[in-house]
């Protein structure tokens, strides 16, 4: 009787019809996903330069899209490689494996670069190093990987950036291509044999069209009248790094006069013209690879790298930095118009965020009497070494100190029959007592840490049992290891973790929120809009309010 009752109740439910036609199914997904990373873009660059932006660049993205005003990185270190990987995988270095830009490998005693691959060949470059790149160290899938899996490899996924890691780690392991700009004396877009054995003809044509040389004959001058730059420092100040061969960091910058002392075509990367080159190349990718032109969702992963080069050299309050963003705003308008014309307004989805923020220049903050300063990791390495010699006898106790990771000589510890966990704790307690260190953690603790401390959780999510050091430490806010001009990033503090996150186009509601969101929430949000599986190591949650 119970079975009959269930059957009868089911018979009264409303019927649901699923139309499986190709046309109907395609209409449920965007034709093209464009994932944009603006390297070193702090959240406040949206607000600080708002009055100087035009109406159809960043303002259009916010006016029609969805703006997450409290997007935060939920791990340390906030570097370029881990940042790009985290946005597109929906997970953190603990799981995707890109724990730094460069990290010490205990087994070999060598430093590993996050995109390096000695087993591949450069394609489109004569450099013996610049082309030997791949995503071999990326341990989890990206949005693009899941798109290709869903479509049975019919979706096209391509990454582009001035930096190789910005192109490679966003597109994923199964991408159709990743292209990056090789400077030096070449000035070409290149790839590696991980993706192909020869450049497509259209890339060869682009490299031969004289674009790079044309930009090298440009002059970098202010985009607007000087009076519009009151959000920035005076042009000539002591907190910025001049280009090599010049005495002062002041406009105008005549690239033809600077190229020989600043790496020739590498100079393009360190000016706003690197962003122009990226847009130029993106248009060619869309046209020649026919992205967004059929029923299978394609993806273009693009990173604007020049903002990071400029931020490092000039700092967050420089006119050069502000001018770069005003120029980028105009490029965003140009690119949106291009997408409207080629893919069709309403047919594509954009998400825009940053791989990390940037710290205020400590020398400037010190002049303002803020708590800030500089740090030398060589000192802590020598002090730890001397402490261990004093306590346990002679030996090479510290194998490496890098990225605020201390690697102990485990072979020596074993030979002396010492307890590794106890020695890690001894070092952590010693480091914790040093001036300007905020906290220190042992690898043993991080492997099993259960704490409500937000900074401890951030350190843990950037920690790898296999690759990180024995002791990790965090400096106080506004302390860094860097020169006295310009700035850097990498910390767990909000100037490095707080970034913009904007969703725009197909499947996106208009609105904004101030709710805390993690950078790992971007990938599942885009995956939900595309109606595909989340990347396989994703720990984030979809931002449901942003999804139409």
């Amino acid at each position: 009787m119970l079975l009959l009752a269930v059957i009868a109740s089911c018979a009264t439910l409303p019927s649901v019809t699923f139309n499986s036609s190709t046309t109907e199914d395609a209409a449920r997904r965007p034709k093209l996903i464009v994932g944009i990373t603006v390297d070193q873009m702090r959240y406040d660059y949206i607000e600080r330069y708002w009055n100087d932006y035009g109406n159809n660049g960043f303002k259009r993205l916010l006016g029609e899209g969805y703006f997450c005003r409290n997007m935060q990185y939920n791990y340390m270190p906030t570097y370029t490689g881990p940042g790009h990987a985290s946005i597109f995988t929906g997970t953190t270095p603990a799981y995707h494996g890109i724990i730094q830009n460069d990290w010490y490998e205990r087994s070999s005693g060598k430093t590993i670069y996050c995109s390096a691959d000695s087993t591949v060949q450069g394609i489109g470059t004569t450099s013996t190093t610049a082309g030997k790149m791949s995503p071999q160290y990326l341990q989890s899938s990206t949005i693009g990987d899941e798109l290709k899996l869903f479509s049975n490899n019919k979706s096209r996924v391509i990454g582009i950036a001035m930096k190789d890691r910005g192109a490679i780690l966003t597109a994923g392991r199964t991408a159709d291509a990743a292209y990056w700009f090789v400077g030096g004396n070449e000035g070409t877009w290149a790839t590696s044999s991980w993706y192909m054995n020869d450049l497509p003809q259209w890339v060869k044509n682009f490299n031969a069209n004289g674009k790079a040389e044309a930009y090298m004959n440009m002059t970098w001058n202010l985009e607007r009248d000087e009076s519009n730059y009151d959000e920035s420092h005076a042009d000539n100040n002591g907190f910025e790094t001049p280009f090599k061969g010049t005495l002062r960091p002041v406009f105008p910058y005549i690239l033809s006069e600077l190229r020989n002392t600043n790496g020739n075509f590498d100079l393009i990367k360190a000016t706003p013209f690197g962003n122009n080159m990226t847009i130029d190349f993106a248009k060619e990718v869309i046209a020649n690879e026919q992205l967004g032109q059929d029923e299978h969702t394609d993806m273009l992963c693009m990173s604007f790298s020049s903002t990071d080069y400029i931020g490092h050299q000039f700092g967050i309050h420089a006119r050069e930095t502000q001018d770069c963003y005003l120029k980028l705003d105009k490029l965003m308008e140009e690119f949106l118009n291009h997408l409207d014309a080629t893919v069709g307004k309403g047919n594509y989805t954009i998400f825009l965020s940053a791989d990390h923020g940037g710290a205020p220049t400590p020398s400037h903050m010190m002049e303002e009497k803020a708590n800030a300063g500089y740090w030398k990791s060589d000192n802590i390495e020598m002090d730890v070494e001397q402490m261990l010699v004093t306590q346990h006898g002679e030996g090479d106790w510290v194998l490496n100190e890098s990225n605020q990771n201390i690697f102990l000589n485990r072979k020596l510890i074993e030979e002396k029959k010492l307890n590794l966990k106890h020695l890690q704790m001894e070092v952590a307690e010693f480091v914790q007592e040093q001036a300007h260190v905020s906290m220190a953690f042992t690898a043993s603790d991080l492997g099993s840490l259960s704490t409500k401390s937000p900074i401890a959780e951030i350190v843990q999510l950037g920690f790898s049992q296999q690759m990180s050091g024995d002791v990790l430490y965090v400096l106080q806010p506004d302390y860094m290891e860097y020169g006295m001009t310009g700035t850097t990033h990498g910390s767990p503090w909000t100037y490095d973790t707080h970034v913009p996150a904007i969703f725009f186009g197909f499947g996106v509601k208009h609105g904004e929120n101030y709710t805390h969101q993690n950078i790992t929430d971007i990938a599942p949000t885009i995956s939900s809009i595309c109606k595909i599986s989340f990347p396989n190591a994703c720990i984030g949650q979809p931002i449901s309010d942003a999804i139409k």
Side-chain angles (χ1 to χ4, degrees):
M1 293 296 292
L2 178 60
L3 177 60
L4 291 175
V6 171
I7 293 172
S9 65
C10 289
T12 64
L13 293 174
S15 62
V16 179
T17 302
F18 293 95
N19 191 323
S20 60
S21 72
T22 301
T23 303
E24 291 278 344
D25 189 59
R28 300 173 64 236
R29 295 176 177 82
K31 288 181 174 292
L32 177 65
I33 298 290
V34 182
I36 299 175
T37 310
V38 184
D39 205 322
Q40 205 185 125
M41 186 178 189
R42 291 165 52 100
Y43 163 80
D44 65 349
Y45 289 162
I46 291 286
E47 297 297 341
R48 200 193 310 174
Y49 308 143
W50 184 260
N51 292 336
D52 298 314
Y53 289 141
N55 292 324
N56 297 303
F58 289 120
K59 286 184 178 179
R60 180 183 169 191
L61 290 175
L62 269 62
E64 299 177 26
Y66 193 90
F67 188 22
C68 297
R69 290 182 172 272
N70 191 13
M71 180 62 69
Q72 299 280 346
Y73 271 86
N74 52 343
Y75 66 83
M76 167 190 162
T78 41
Y79 290 141
T80 298
H84 282 81
S86 297
I87 293 171
F88 287 78
T89 63
T91 192
T92 70
Y95 307 107
H96 62 58
I98 308 300
I99 61 168
Q100 312 274 354
N101 288 338
D102 307 88
W103 59 85
Y104 175 76
E105 185 179 60
R106 188 186 295 274
S107 60
S108 67
K110 297 179 180 179
T111 297
I112 302 296
Y113 173 57
C114 63
S115 298
D117 189 344
S118 62
T119 68
V120 301
Q121 299 300 316
I123 304 296
T125 172
T126 59
S127 170
T128 57
T129 56
K132 287 183 172 292
M133 303 292 168
S134 85
Q136 67 159 330
Y137 295 114
L138 188 63
Q139 297 173 1
S140 57
S141 68
T142 61
I143 303 167
D145 290 329
E146 296 300 328
L147 267 177
K148 293 186 74 67
L149 188 63
F150 179 86
S151 69
N152 196 25
N153 211 34
K154 295 181 178 68
S155 294
R156 300 282 291 166
V157 177
I158 296 175
I160 67 169
M162 289 276 112
K163 296 180 181 179
D164 52 74
R165 57 188 181 272
I168 291 169
L169 300 176
T170 55
R173 296 179 66 98
T174 67
D176 296 279
Y179 300 102
W180 52 94
F181 186 75
V182 178
N185 294 324
E186 294 189 67
T188 59
W189 289 87
T191 187
S192 80
S193 56
W194 177 280
Y195 306 98
M196 63 192 73
N197 295 320
D198 192 19
L199 284 181
Q201 188 59 47
W202 69 264
V203 180
K204 294 178 181 178
N205 293 342
F206 187 88
N207 284 335
N209 69 8
K211 278 273 188 184
E213 187 62 35
Y215 283 123
M216 292 301 293
N217 289 314
M218 300 286 282
T219 296
W220 178 12
N221 220 327
L222 293 175
E223 182 68 28
R224 304 188 62 177
D225 185 81
E226 193 172 7
S227 62
N228 293 107
Y229 293 80
D230 55 348
E231 295 88 356
S232 302
H233 287 155
D235 195 18
N236 187 20
N237 65 77
F239 309 122
E240 302 169 9
T241 307
F243 282 107
K244 293 178 182 178
T246 65
L247 296 177
R248 296 185 301 277
V250 295
F251 288 98
Y253 297 105
I254 304 170
L255 271 62
S256 61
E257 297 178 358
L258 296 172
R259 65 187 299 175
N260 290 334
T261 54
N262 290 273
N264 202 358
F265 286 105
D266 281 328
L267 181 61
I268 295 178
K269 302 177 184 180
T271 73
F273 302 120
N275 294 336
N276 288 71
M277 278 282 285
T278 304
I279 288 289
D280 293 341
F281 195 68
K283 291 178 181 178
E284 292 297 316
V285 172
I286 292 168
N288 289 279
E289 299 293 343
Q290 297 187 321
L291 301 187
Q293 300 303 311
D294 61 24
E295 68 271 21
H296 302 290
T297 302
D298 297 321
M299 186 168 191
L300 175 62
C301 311
M302 53 191 298
S303 178
F304 292 108
S305 308
S306 294
T307 45
D308 184 67
Y309 288 102
I310 292 168
H312 276 293
Q313 182 172 350
F314 298 101
I316 71 168
H317 289 105
R319 290 192 181 187
E320 288 83 354
T321 299
Q322 180 174 357
D323 191 66
C324 183
Y325 280 92
L326 299 191
K327 286 178 165 61
L328 181 58
D329 179 60
K330 290 187 69 174
L331 287 174
M332 288 304 304
E333 177 181 353
E334 176 187 331
F335 190 54
L336 290 172
N337 291 338
H338 183 78
L339 290 172
D340 288 345
T342 55
V343 183
K345 188 175 182 180
N347 289 331
Y348 60 89
T349 304
I350 288 177
F351 64 94
L352 182 150
S353 192
D355 54 345
H356 51 74
T361 302
S363 58
H364 168 230
M365 301 307 294
M366 292 163 68
E367 189 171 286
E368 298 292 330
K369 300 181 180 179
N371 183 44
Y374 294 93
W375 172 262
K376 289 187 178 180
S377 59
D378 288 348
N379 292 345
I380 196 71
E381 183 175 353
M382 289 187 294
D383 290 344
V384 169
E385 183 79 48
Q386 185 57 52
M387 181 272 291
L388 291 174
V389 167
T390 301
Q391 296 294 325
H392 303 288
E394 291 296 327
D396 184 14
W397 291 99
V398 180
L399 295 179
N400 180 270
E401 193 288 335
S402 54
N403 300 307
Q404 294 166 224
N405 282 241
I406 298 173
F407 293 82
L408 300 177
N409 189 336
R410 293 185 177 183
K411 184 178 179 181
L412 177 62
I413 293 169
E414 185 178 352
E415 289 174 352
K416 287 183 175 284
K417 297 182 172 21
L418 297 172
N419 184 289
L420 176 62
K421 290 184 180 180
H422 291 169
L423 207 67
Q424 289 174 344
M425 181 61 70
E426 189 176 343
V427 172
E429 290 175 351
F430 176 80
V431 171
Q432 178 79 60
E433 295 171 355
Q434 306 309 303
H436 312 309
V437 172
S438 178
M439 56 196 78
F441 305 93
T442 70
S444 300
D445 284 342
L446 290 172
S448 59
L449 191 62
S450 178
T451 177
K452 293 183 180 180
S453 164
I455 300 301
E457 291 174 1
I458 285 173
V459 175
Q460 187 180 34
L461 285 170
F463 169 80
S464 167
Q465 289 269 28
Q466 293 76 32
M467 297 184 287
S468 296
D470 290 282
V471 174
L472 286 73
Y473 62 93
V474 179
L475 298 177
Q476 292 175 352
D478 284 326
Y479 278 82
M480 67 173 67
E481 184 167 27
Y482 207 64
M484 296 290 286
T485 55
T487 192
T488 193
H489 46 84
S491 80
W493 307 115
T494 54
Y495 48 75
D496 283 338
T497 63
H498 191 191
V499 295
I502 305 168
F503 300 89
F504 174 91
F506 180 99
V508 176
K509 288 181 183 177
H510 171 53
E512 64 179 24
N513 71 44
Y514 290 84
T515 306
H516 178 108
Q517 257 113 24
N518 292 323
I519 202 70
T520 48
D521 295 336
I522 291 177
T525 302
I526 294 298
S527 298
S528 297
I529 289 172
C530 293
K531 298 179 176 63
I532 61 173
S533 294
F534 297 173
N536 58 18
C538 179
I539 64 171
Q541 297 295 323
I543 304 168
S544 56
D545 289 346
I547 302 172
K548 187 178 292 184

